[in-house]
Amino acid sequence: QALRQISQRTISTASRRQFENRVSENQKLFQEDNGLPVHLKGGAKDSLLYRTTAGLTVFGTMYALYYLLMSSMPKKP
């Protein structure tokens, strides 16, 4: 019984909170014709995430190719 009261209280207080609707602001930002690709329109954080992901991808590809090359060589006695 007590658990049900706690869960109902949590749900009812969570639904009362009003968050500011910022959809129209984001639509203006992402539809603006500024020559940037959509994955970089979020600013510096998007740019950092993109460059980090690209760097890790290049590093991972090079490491995989290196390891494949080393694995294909016969072992020296």
Side-chain angles (χ1 to χ4, degrees):
Q1 189 64 285
L3 181 63
R4 187 163 51 174
Q5 285 179 342
I6 291 171
S7 65
Q8 284 177 345
R9 193 176 312 141
T10 304
I11 291 170
S12 66
T13 56
S15 63
R16 260 189 253 146
R17 289 188 210 134
Q18 291 293 322
F19 292 104
E20 185 181 344
N21 188 358
R22 295 176 51 197
V23 173
S24 61
E25 294 174 24
N26 286 335
Q27 284 177 336
K28 286 177 191 170
L29 174 71
F30 285 99
Q31 290 176 356
E32 183 180 326
D33 188 18
N34 55 6
L36 287 175
V38 73
H39 59 275
L40 294 177
K41 285 193 177 191
K45 190 170 85 170
D46 281 353
S47 180
L48 180 67
L49 283 170
Y50 173 74
R51 289 180 182 182
T52 302
T53 303
L56 286 171
T57 302
V58 169
F59 174 75
T61 302
M62 298 302 278
Y63 181 74
L65 291 174
Y66 168 78
Y67 200 77
L68 186 64
L69 181 67
M70 290 298 117
S71 299
S72 68
M73 298 289 180
K75 301 224 186 240
K76 294 180 181 173

